[in-house]
Amino acid sequence: MDTKELLKKVRKIEIKTRRLSDHIFSGEYQTSFKGRGMTFSEVRQYQFGDDVRAIDWNVTAKYNEPYVKVFEEERELTMMLLVDCSGSQSFGSKNQLKSEIITEIAATLAFSATQNNDKIGLILFSDQIELFIPPKKGKHHVLRIIRDLIEFEPKSKKTDLAMALKYLSSIQKKKAIVFVISDFMTSDYEQTLKIASKRHDLTGVRVYDAREEKMPNVGIVPMVDSETGETILVDTTSAQTRMEYEKYYVEQVKYFSETFSRSGAGVITTRVDESYVKKMLNYFKSR
């Protein structure tokens, strides 16, 4: 992709996702994700209805009338975007690929965090850490993240979510808002998820395509595994083959939803051809 085309794509995503974050998500985001605690702001004269436990006795004694301490929420937070860039994200049967929707969701979340002066970091993962961008503030930083989401070429096409969560725990010691964005066609990550969700406010965002749910009956066709690159002939006329595929798919989806729920993490599921805006808004409001 040449520079002109890349900048055009970045600008297009910026315009769409900034509008969403400015007018829809920023308020919901601030309400949903609280700051680390309360920090002292000032003292003022006691007013009827104030909590007597907030009285500052030193200042009260000095001025011979009651004064109270005023605290405000320490709003600044860190958002980490943990984004799956394995081969299966390049699938899409409608107008958009899963990877394109993932980029839009990540950009919308990043701009929402920027509206609240939060830091945003990015971890791109396959079965290895492909890219780590340390958390920083500002629009230019978000645009850099979008550029990398669009143009970065991963070294591997496989997936290892457990490894990515372990890496997150090693580099992000303080509590963060973490969004894991993937199709979650993987397993064996429950233990690392439990550890990560104890420290962080964690949400899994599953992006999938309608064609992944069921195998169509289209004869004997060569199929390429997007993560291993292996090509095999599949007889889709076989009812048993279609049933086994559907069973495998349902098990992966069930593992995702149940594992995240057991770990105390949030869950958002959106199909490529659905409105992820509605799904995310409903999730924010339900928190």
Side-chain angles (χ1 to χ4, degrees):
M1 188 185 301
D2 61 36
T3 305
K4 188 176 180 181
E5 187 183 353
L6 174 62
L7 291 173
K8 188 177 177 182
K9 280 195 170 187
V10 171
R11 182 63 179 154
K12 185 179 178 181
I13 289 173
E14 181 194 1
I15 290 169
K16 179 177 180 178
T17 58
R18 259 202 109 149
R19 187 165 61 242
L20 288 173
S21 63
D22 288 350
H23 300 296
I24 300 174
F25 285 116
S26 60
E28 298 294 343
Y29 168 86
Q30 185 174 21
T31 304
S32 299
F33 301 102
K34 302 297 184 183
R36 284 190 291 268
M38 305 302 287
T39 183
F40 174 74
S41 176
E42 61 180 346
V43 292
R44 61 164 171 77
Q45 284 183 302
Y46 177 87
Q47 297 172 1
F48 178 75
D50 284 339
D51 189 341
V52 293
R53 292 173 295 183
I55 292 176
D56 187 320
W57 294 106
N58 290 331
V59 178
T60 296
K62 182 178 179 181
Y63 292 103
N64 233 5
E65 57 180 315
Y67 276 77
V68 293
K69 293 177 181 178
V70 178
F71 294 85
E72 61 183 25
E73 186 180 60
E74 191 180 353
R75 252 299 322 158
E76 184 180 299
L77 292 166
T78 295
M79 174 191 283
M80 289 300 302
L81 299 170
L82 198 59
V83 178
D84 183 353
C85 62
S86 62
S88 61
Q89 312 315 312
S90 300
F91 180 79
S93 61
K94 298 288 184 179
N95 296 327
Q96 285 185 295
L97 304 177
K98 285 188 285 184
S99 59
E100 292 172 329
I101 297 297
I102 285 172
T103 296
E104 285 189 18
I105 291 172
T108 303
L109 289 167
F111 278 124
S112 298
T114 297
Q115 288 279 80
N116 289 284
N117 202 35
D118 293 344
K119 295 177 182 177
I120 305 101
L122 173 70
I123 297 172
L124 286 179
F125 72 94
S126 54
D127 63 344
Q128 62 190 54
I129 300 303
E130 298 281 356
L131 177 69
F132 170 53
I133 300 178
K136 281 178 65 178
K137 297 180 184 180
K139 174 187 169 183
H140 291 296
H141 182 64
V142 173
L143 293 178
R144 183 207 165 177
I145 286 174
I146 295 172
R147 279 199 308 273
D148 281 316
L149 285 166
I150 293 171
E151 71 166 353
F152 186 82
E153 293 290 336
K155 297 182 181 69
S156 174
K157 293 185 176 182
K158 298 179 181 179
T159 311
D160 188 343
L161 179 53
M163 174 278 309
L165 290 166
K166 190 174 180 180
Y167 180 77
L168 168 72
S169 295
S170 71
I171 56 100
Q172 187 64 38
K173 300 299 183 184
K174 292 183 179 178
K175 182 179 179 179
I177 299 165
V178 179
F179 285 92
V180 185
I181 314 175
S182 171
D183 57 9
F184 292 94
M185 296 305 289
T186 183
S187 56
D188 298 327
Y189 54 80
E190 183 166 9
Q191 195 56 41
T192 48
L193 180 66
K194 282 180 179 177
I195 294 168
S197 61
K198 281 179 181 177
R199 178 180 295 170
H200 305 297
D201 189 334
L202 204 145
T203 302
V205 185
R206 187 174 79 89
V207 179
Y208 72 102
D209 189 280
R211 282 284 176 90
E212 293 174 312
E213 295 180 284
K214 292 181 182 291
M215 181 181 288
N217 185 347
V218 289
I220 299 174
V221 293
M223 292 190 178
V224 180
D225 188 315
S226 57
E227 298 205 355
T228 65
E230 181 185 2
T231 302
I232 55 172
L233 284 175
V234 178
D235 182 7
T236 64
T237 63
S238 166
Q240 184 179 351
T241 299
R242 296 197 304 274
M243 187 173 66
E244 285 176 357
Y245 170 80
E246 188 176 340
K247 181 184 176 184
Y248 167 77
Y249 181 83
V250 169
E251 285 173 352
Q252 295 284 347
V253 173
K254 185 180 178 183
Y255 181 83
F256 158 71
S257 58
E258 290 184 353
T259 301
F260 268 73
S261 296
R262 278 197 299 267
S263 301
V267 170
I268 302 173
T269 297
T270 184
R271 206 170 61 208
V272 168
D273 58 334
E274 290 180 325
S275 169
Y276 63 82
V277 176
K278 289 181 181 177
K279 296 292 185 77
M280 291 169 69
L281 270 176
N282 288 338
Y283 173 71
F284 286 163
K285 287 176 179 176
S286 71
R287 287 175 57 94

